[in-house]
Amino acid sequence: MQAIRSFVREVVQAYKQKDKKAICDLISLDSSSERVEQLSQVLYDMTEESIRSTVAADCESLDAPRPLKDLITNYLIFTIASCLDTSDLADVYELLSTCYGSFLGLYTAFDAQWLTPLLMNISYSLVDWATLADKENPTAKELKVSDAAAKHLSRAFNVVISDKTSNDLKDSKKMALYYLANLTFRVYFKIQSTRLLPTMIANISKAGVKLEQYPMSQQVTHRYYLGRYYLYQLDLRSTERHLAFAFRNCPPQNPHDPQSTNEVTYNNARLILIYLVAARLCLGIFPSQQLLRAYDLEVYFSTLIRAVKLGDLGLLDNHLDSPEVLGWFVKKEIYFLLKEKLRVLCWRSLIRRVWLLNAGQPRVDLNLLVSVGQLLIKDGSFDIWDVECITASLLDQGYIRGYIHSEKKILVVSKTNSFPPVSSVEVAEEYA
Amino acid sequence: MSNSPEPKTAGEEETRRREKRQRRFEDSRSDTVPKKSKPVYTAPVFNSDVIDWDEYTIVGTSTQLEKNYLRLTSAPDPATVRPVRVLQKTLDLLKEKWRKDQNYAYICDQFKSVRQDLTVQRIKSEFTVTVYEIHARIALEKGDLGEYNQCQTQLKQLYEYNLQGHVMEFTAYRILYLLHTRNPSDIIAMLASLTPAQKHDPAVKHALKVRTALASSNYHALFKLYISAPNMGGYLMDQFVERERVEAMKMICKAYRPNIEVSFLRSELGFIDDLECTGFLKAIGVVPCLNQDSGPGKKRYQFLDTKAALPYVLEAGKKYQTVDIKGQI
């Protein structure tokens, strides 16, 4: 009991002095920390009722504002629940959720900038606990993470974004802007609902801050999610731009020196690289074998590169559909992207090689392409109309320069730059 | 889809359309294998069709077969609500009336009131599924996407209760509907949620092939799929066929020189006949670019000057920039 009373006193004092370090130490969400250990041992013997009344009484005598009293009370109730093995994770999340609500009650005050570090800690914890609760009950109608994002993070975000007190980031609530945005993005991607992303992106751009002012870790994370989002939209150039930045700014990995490699940063870099490689392949830019090897990605991408260079459609399909890698491509959500885009590039390669074999004469016989196509994809029903359509598509997208003569069934390529380098071709957005 | 009764093409096309209309009422042909024979519930209920048994559920007593739809503002009077055995008779009546009169406004109104009666009595059974499926198909035939989407949303939930119904047919429709609205993340999420059984079903396979054709701008495959669409998929594809035809025209006009045969356009773009094809070309304004060539024999080939036609086609394509979803979501 006494320990609780002194805890309350310390918190109220920290609050009155706006001591941001102290408040973070006190309202600790790290269940392995000593303070939480000590608190939980005391709380174990207390009823919820007695926790409430103790805190209430002390807050009254110390003249603490009501939202602060609520925060302390809810924090303590959450803490003991989080330490018990017998707790239902969903319930623990709900308690933290209540606590978060009380915290926001304090945070909305116009002079609450000093609480921003605590905001970041508690937001991270909220999503963390929500994720744990969802793992326990994955088929629940409403996932806890989406509750966290919709109810709490969005409110916090609004508070942060409307703080107009200072232009200096470290004195403004906007310091937490990208941290919160990144947490929210993480949730949206987890629940595979990216519909609200454009709104958030628009809101961020109106906030009057620059991403470059923030810690690199937040920049990299943010760019990663932006890259993933643009990949969904099939805007490959934007994807590449963001992911390339993110990858370049990851701590360098050296697989031959176990000391320098941190598992978390390695996994993050690899994740960024997977999508960067996928986007760049579709733009005709190939990674080196060393790079793929360094991140253990050879088994997935090497064959694809070979197929595209040769124009071997059969190899492309066989590899993507092979049981060893199919599941992986589907899980990473790049199966359809690669299957469709690389097919186009394969055809471009194929037609170009046929043209080269004919000593670069401007006329390419379409019937020849039909035979080649039938051989490669082992489909007898593949006919001249399929070839004409594919060729028209390549011409339309700019991969080949020339025209088709319908009556003569030939493709006539232009004298200069007939097969422009793939990476130089403008890739149109699919959904305008 | 044009309704012009061209005598010489009546055969195949009309049969296809008639078959489509017939399918609406073949509810005996369910294709789901129920995992359990009855829905699982925890408390004893007196009506075995009711899931989510609630103390305040109404049991209707009305015997009046037809009823206009009125949006509810408070708990309904049981005397105005029809119990299931009456609704079953209503459904038979409505099927007959639709066949005879084809009055969509009336039918839609009646179906909405049947749905409402089922909802307030919390009846979620195979009969409910049938009602929604039939209404959905009728809405599709009339191009009422708003109403169709409402039914589709309900059906998705009902199927999750393991109720028998035409799950595969409607899964295929859902895919085609998403292709119309063109929301990439919805489509990806939908694809990820398909079971292997669904992926092997012919109707779903067809819809997936349509997705592939759209994604790879393969107009040749797309319009072949349009002509061979199973069940009522064709009506859903109708929603984006126009847009895709203009897109295909753009590619063709950019790729081919000096010209392209109109017969090629007719077959590649999935038109029923020459009349429909010419109608389309007129609509996008390329008629000035057509010229005739009287070759040997009786046939007269028409050609389209692709270079001249391109600006018209690009102009026509501008109106397809955003998708308009009419009606309620």
Side-chain angles (χ1 to χ4, degrees):
Chain A
M1 176 86 86
Q2 188 56 30
I4 300 301
R5 302 191 65 192
S6 57
F7 176 78
V8 175
R9 260 201 306 276
E10 284 179 65
V11 173
V12 176
Q13 187 178 42
Y15 179 81
K16 290 193 173 166
Q17 292 175 343
K18 299 200 173 166
D19 188 342
K20 57 177 154 188
K21 185 173 183 304
I23 201 82
C24 285
D25 285 340
L26 288 162
I27 312 283
S28 166
L29 296 141
D30 179 2
S31 44
S32 61
S33 75
E34 245 193 71
R35 177 178 294 284
V36 172
E37 279 263 345
Q38 289 169 349
L39 272 179
S40 62
Q41 289 195 356
V42 177
L43 292 167
Y44 190 68
D45 292 315
M46 295 174 76
T47 64
E48 188 179 308
E49 194 44 53
S50 67
I51 297 176
R52 284 186 191 279
S53 52
T54 312
V55 174
D58 275 330
C59 282
E60 170 114 24
S61 66
L62 293 167
D63 198 23
R66 217 194 84 162
L68 182 61
K69 175 195 74 151
D70 287 338
L71 174 64
I72 301 174
T73 314
N74 291 324
Y75 168 71
L76 291 173
I77 296 176
F78 154 74
T79 300
I80 182 61
S82 71
C83 295
L84 296 172
D85 281 333
T86 51
S87 296
D88 183 329
L89 292 173
D91 290 336
V92 176
Y93 167 77
E94 289 302 328
L95 292 172
L96 181 54
S97 170
T98 314
C99 180
Y100 195 96
S102 321
F103 173 78
L104 280 185
L106 280 176
Y107 193 62
T108 43
F110 78 96
D111 61 348
Q113 290 78 14
W114 64 282
L115 281 171
T116 308
L118 182 56
L119 170 75
M120 300 201 286
N121 289 352
I122 197 174
S123 302
Y124 181 86
S125 229
L126 187 73
V127 174
D128 211 24
W129 279 101
T131 313
L132 283 174
D134 286 333
K135 270 210 191 113
E136 197 180 59
N137 188 9
T139 54
K141 279 280 175 185
E142 167 104 14
L143 288 174
K144 297 291 177 204
V145 278
S146 45
D147 173 73
K151 223 166 49 184
H152 298 299
L153 293 181
S154 56
R155 268 186 68 204
F157 188 79
N158 285 334
V159 173
V160 157
I161 214 167
S162 43
D163 180 27
K164 307 218 189 304
T165 50
S166 172
N167 279 329
D168 193 351
L169 260 190
K170 58 176 166 37
D171 296 325
S172 163
K173 292 179 187 173
K174 288 184 182 171
M175 194 176 80
L177 191 130
Y178 278 103
Y179 191 84
L180 284 178
N182 290 345
L183 270 179
T184 313
F185 282 8
R186 194 170 105 192
V187 170
Y188 287 154
F189 274 92
K190 213 179 178 73
I191 60 178
Q192 291 183 305
S193 168
T194 50
R195 217 168 309 165
L196 295 164
L197 276 171
T199 326
M200 270 209 88
I201 295 173
N203 288 340
I204 293 172
S205 67
K206 285 188 232 150
V209 292
K210 291 208 185 72
L211 180 58
E212 298 82 66
Q213 298 170 286
Y214 289 79
M216 187 52 87
S217 61
Q218 292 183 26
Q219 291 190 44
V220 167
T221 310
H222 195 72
R223 297 274 211 147
Y224 166 72
Y225 285 121
L226 283 181
R228 290 285 312 272
Y229 171 70
Y230 285 118
L231 193 57
Y232 273 154
Q233 305 297 114
L234 296 173
D235 181 353
L236 296 172
R237 296 274 175 210
S238 299
T239 305
E240 198 220 354
R241 205 167 21 103
H242 290 294
L243 292 180
F245 176 94
F247 186 69
R248 257 200 318 275
N249 289 288
C250 278
Q253 308 293 320
N254 184 354
H256 301 296
D257 176 10
Q259 292 287 327
S260 79
T261 307
N262 171 309
E263 197 182 316
V264 173
T265 47
Y266 172 83
N267 286 336
N268 286 345
R270 184 171 185 265
L271 202 56
I272 298 170
L273 188 60
I274 289 169
Y275 294 100
L276 180 58
V277 169
R280 280 194 167 159
L281 277 183
C282 300
L283 291 170
I285 304 169
F286 302 140
S288 67
Q289 283 298 103
Q290 293 114 295
L291 183 62
L292 290 179
R293 206 174 301 138
Y295 285 93
D296 205 14
L297 293 172
E298 269 186 298
V299 63
Y300 304 111
F301 291 111
S302 298
T303 314
L304 293 181
I305 296 170
R306 201 164 76 239
V308 171
K309 284 188 178 163
L310 292 174
D312 191 339
L313 293 151
L315 184 61
L316 175 70
D317 283 338
N318 286 340
H319 176 72
L320 275 176
D321 291 328
S322 67
E324 297 88 41
V325 298
L326 172 62
W328 186 85
F329 281 115
V330 170
K331 188 153 171 268
K332 295 282 177 256
E333 295 176 326
I334 51 179
Y335 173 79
F336 285 108
L337 170 76
L338 293 173
K339 200 166 173 89
E340 279 137 30
K341 294 283 179 195
L342 295 185
R343 188 167 183 267
V344 172
L345 296 187
C346 269
W347 269 106
R348 179 252 177 211
S349 282
L350 193 58
I351 297 177
R352 182 169 171 272
R353 293 181 89 206
V354 168
W355 169 73
L356 283 172
L357 283 172
N358 198 18
Q361 292 293 308
R363 295 169 175 225
V364 179
D365 182 1
L366 293 177
N367 284 306
L368 186 56
L369 290 175
V370 178
S371 322
V372 175
Q374 282 180 347
L375 264 176
L376 283 174
I377 58 179
K378 301 191 177 32
D379 181 1
S381 73
F382 187 75
D383 59 24
I384 185 72
W385 309 116
D386 289 304
V387 165
E388 281 191 36
C389 185
I390 290 164
T391 314
S393 178
L394 286 169
L395 286 164
D396 175 52
Q397 293 181 68
Y399 290 111
I400 305 179
R401 293 180 63 237
Y403 65 87
I404 302 174
H405 196 287
S406 178
E407 243 186 287
K408 299 187 191 158
K409 297 289 171 230
I410 52 170
L411 162 69
V412 180
V413 298
S414 69
K415 285 203 197 65
T416 56
N417 205 17
S418 38
F419 291 87
V422 177
S423 51
S424 68
V425 172
E426 265 303 306
V427 181
E429 255 182 66
E430 288 264 337
Y431 303 107
Chain B
M1 306 246 307
S2 93
N3 285 322
S4 55
E6 283 273 326
K8 52 186 194 288
T9 57
E12 222 183 63
E13 259 318 299
E14 186 49 35
T15 320
R16 181 161 73 88
R17 274 187 228 137
R18 271 192 224 125
E19 270 173 55
K20 272 190 189 169
R21 285 196 284 271
Q22 282 294 88
R23 296 257 174 79
R24 270 205 313 282
F25 302 121
E26 275 186 72
D27 46 353
S28 55
R29 219 193 66 229
S30 311
D31 57 356
T32 50
V33 177
K35 297 194 182 64
K36 337 182 216 299
S37 57
K38 285 229 159 66
V40 173
Y41 38 82
T42 51
V45 293
F46 80 90
N47 183 341
S48 59
D49 281 339
V50 175
I51 308 173
D52 300 328
W53 168 242
D54 183 298
E55 209 184 307
Y56 303 104
T57 301
I58 296 171
V59 178
T61 58
S62 162
T63 52
Q64 190 190 28
L65 287 190
E66 289 166 80
K67 183 174 114 171
N68 290 336
Y69 171 70
L70 274 173
R71 202 174 266 280
L72 288 177
T73 49
S74 59
D77 174 6
T80 63
V81 175
R82 296 157 288 182
V84 176
R85 53 178 171 75
V86 174
L87 288 174
Q88 280 165 340
K89 296 207 194 95
T90 306
L91 183 64
D92 289 335
L93 175 67
L94 292 180
K95 282 192 216 175
E96 195 48 48
K97 283 205 157 181
W98 175 244
R99 244 193 285 262
K100 278 214 300 250
D101 310 327
Q102 295 263 311
N103 181 344
Y104 183 65
Y106 165 80
I107 280 293
C108 194
D109 188 66
Q110 290 292 320
F111 263 97
K112 283 167 90 136
S113 81
V114 170
R115 282 159 51 186
Q116 190 184 66
D117 282 1
L118 289 170
T119 309
V120 302
Q121 296 178 92
R122 314 272 185 134
I123 297 171
K124 289 184 180 161
S125 67
E126 276 153 24
F127 177 69
T128 317
V129 169
T130 307
V131 169
Y132 276 101
E133 284 183 353
I134 295 180
H135 191 186
R137 292 196 194 103
I138 293 178
L140 271 186
E141 189 176 340
K142 282 302 178 181
D144 185 350
L145 277 202
E147 202 60 54
Y148 160 76
N149 193 34
Q150 274 196 12
C151 296
Q152 174 67 85
T153 313
Q154 286 303 314
L155 281 170
K156 181 165 181 275
Q157 288 184 13
L158 291 168
Y159 291 144
E160 278 163 20
Y161 289 120
N162 266 334
L163 293 164
Q164 279 211 27
H166 298 85
V167 182
M168 297 299 175
E169 177 187 346
F170 280 83
T171 305
Y173 294 159
R174 258 172 58 221
I175 297 172
L176 292 174
Y177 180 79
L178 287 178
L179 294 176
H180 165 62
T181 58
R182 290 203 283 196
N183 187 322
S185 42
D186 279 345
I187 295 173
I188 293 176
M190 165 100 207
L191 294 177
S193 74
L194 292 176
T195 66
Q198 283 171 316
K199 286 190 229 186
H200 277 109
D201 174 79
V204 176
K205 261 204 210 159
H206 172 273
L208 290 175
K209 285 200 191 132
V210 172
R211 191 213 74 88
T212 304
L214 277 176
S216 47
S217 306
N218 187 342
Y219 54 79
H220 175 69
L222 179 69
F223 291 102
K224 277 209 293 209
L225 291 164
Y226 174 56
I227 296 184
S228 64
N231 304 321
M232 304 194 76
Y235 289 100
L236 274 163
M237 291 184 76
D238 278 343
Q239 301 298 325
F240 53 78
V241 142
E242 198 65 18
R243 162 188 103 203
E244 292 305 319
R245 276 181 176 147
V246 175
E247 181 64 28
M249 281 296 292
K250 182 197 82 165
M251 282 167 55
I252 291 170
C253 288
K254 281 172 86 173
Y256 287 85
R257 292 281 180 277
N259 54 35
I260 191 75
E261 297 99 331
V262 173
S263 58
F264 170 84
L265 293 175
R266 189 221 130 123
S267 66
E268 280 296 282
L269 301 183
F271 292 109
I272 303 172
D273 52 31
D274 285 326
L275 198 67
E276 208 194 357
C277 180
T278 328
F280 169 74
L281 293 174
K282 266 197 200 128
I284 59 174
V286 297
V287 167
C289 314
L290 287 170
N291 46 22
Q292 294 189 3
D293 172 64
S294 29
K298 279 188 277 187
K299 265 198 170 160
R300 277 200 335 225
Y301 299 95
Q302 288 197 331
F303 290 92
L304 177 74
D305 178 342
T306 44
K307 193 163 175 187
L310 185 58
Y312 295 101
V313 175
L314 290 174
E315 189 59 37
K318 284 195 182 149
K319 73 171 177 185
Y320 296 107
Q321 298 297 342
T322 51
V323 172
D324 161 33
I325 304 175
K326 302 190 251 302
Q328 324 86 334
I329 305 279

